[in-house]
Amino acid sequence: MTSSPAAVGTASSAAGVAARRSAAPAGPRPPRRSTPSTQWAAVAFAAPLIVYLVVFYAYPLFRNIELSVHDYTIRAFVQGDAEFIGFEKYADVFASSAFPTALVNTALFTFVSIAFQYTIGLALAVFFQKSFRLSGVLRGMFLVPWLLPLIVSASTWSWMLNSDSGIINSVLQSFGIGQINWLTSPDFALTSVIIANIWLGIPFNLVILYSGLQNIPGELYEAASLDGATGWQQFWRITFPLLRPVSAITILLGLIYTLKVVDVIWIMTTGGPGNVSTTLAVWSYREAFGTGQPAFSPAAAVGNLLILIALVFGFVYLYLQRRQEES
Amino acid sequence: MTPTRSWWRTALGLVFTALMLFPVYWMINVSLTRTSDLRRNPPHWFPWDPTFEGYAAVFDQQLPALGTSLLIGGGCVLLTLLVSAPAGYALALLHLRGGGTLNFVLLVAQMIPAVVMAMGFYAVYVRLDLLNTVWGLIVADSTIAVPFGVLLFTAFMSGIPKEMLQAARIDGAGAWRTFRSIVLPLSRNSILTVSLFAFLWAWSDFIFASTLNRNGDLIPITLSIYAYIGNNTTQWNSIMATAVVASIPAAVLLVVAQRYVAAGVTAGAVKD
């Protein structure tokens, strides 16, 4: 503890304290310009993260893969003697009648949500681009749906969409439209969760696209309006093309987030009626935790498929981001 | 821009905001509605005759759940900061070898669906007897915030002027002292941003709570609301009152710290 030459050398008492402390987490020798010892310090500072990633990311993921290639029942789970069955559960998942439904629902849920979130988010970002009285406050208010706990938003939407007492049916009735069973009818359940999810995703799109708009030089618009370009032309000739890299990243991040969504759907419809609003993520959740009899092996198999899909979009995102940083 | 045009924009902005926040208004409205009026058709658009029976029920029944959520949120903030701030320092300023790989791993980690993590944690916790514990949930919830925290700290700390660090080194400060006396104080805003998000995500978490803490004695508020919906579908004023109370951290965050929220989002943009 006393052997910290560099720090003690300053002879100030504060440095002495630091030197003593430095012994524990940062490795023994505070470095002076010497690269190897800086490396040791770097490793020491990164060590908590590396341990954390191995224990709390890599190991659970490894267990998840292990789950999917064994036949786990709840008893085998506790005793740890599940039988190895290879890719049988994956084959079961692909052969299951729920699989095509879940796949189509995942695609619909994701792409329709993203299309609306992006369009509305972009329209709002352009609207807020020119500052006006209260614009900052109102833009801040738009963050609310994003910050609320999902259980709060999802249960509020459930009540608003309630067949008998929901405000939405009540409004529709005053326009002469009869009662719609938003959450319980096979025709509307998926639409309902998509509507709620669009609402949830607008703030994220607005924030990112708005910050992208801030980077477009104002002189471009000035020049365009001097040349007599209308607002519409300015949007299609300047805003939209210059925003393309930011748009791509927003949409891809949105895809990755939306693929994973469980809470909203589970709270509003539990994926039902039947499998009408079941996505891959919800299916996985239901198999593992949603019924009295947990079936971890198929759930893990579905979950791993989901990881693969997310990673494909993820790598496209990383590629685009890197290319954007280079330019 | 002429004043009339700008007035027109403000009016339109108010309309958009009102439409967007209508569900939030409706939650508050329902929370103040009497049980006998809940099934009225058409419903009351404004709580002319408000009742606080819903909120009375919250304070009667939900205080332990709110306390549990506070504890989990606080624990998650501490764990996240302890892991991510030093790592950000190592990546941004100590030129950790393999730093690029680590950054990449963190980005990929953020893409893993929570339901998959939940299953993995469940399988691990069954053996370790950590199911239905607050500690288990703190660790699981922190996995949402740690990658974000490291990336944010790295982005911010790379912007700290190198001269300051060199000056510290010439004065004989080691890596730890530089971290504690220079880097951490300068990173105050990042610490706040990471803390706020870590708290909010842990507070809002439903998936981990509903899988890893289903039968715990101490359940967080999100799970409590969920149980409420399942048991008792007539008392929507109480459910919505609980939802309003559960939204308080989000509201506080927005009012007190909108600046830091913005900082969190734009951090990626200012990187290098």
Side-chain angles (χ1 to χ4, degrees), chain A residues 263-284:
Chain A
D263 341 31
V264 188
I265 302 179
W266 185 257
I267 294 162
M268 288 179 68
T269 68
T270 65
N275 281 327
V276 168
S277 54
T278 300
T279 61
L280 288 173
V282 171
W283 189 20
S284 174

Side-chain angles (χ1 to χ4, degrees), chain A residues 127-161:
Chain A
F127 176 76
F128 281 110
Q129 191 179 10
K130 289 182 184 140
S131 68
F132 48 88
R133 189 169 297 179
L134 288 181
S135 63
V137 178
L138 295 183
R139 209 157 32 82
M141 303 281 277
F142 263 88
L143 290 174
V144 168
W146 190 36
L147 297 175
L148 289 182
L150 275 173
I151 180 101
V152 167
S153 335
S155 50
T156 304
W157 276 99
S158 292
W159 184 242
M160 285 173 44
L161 291 166

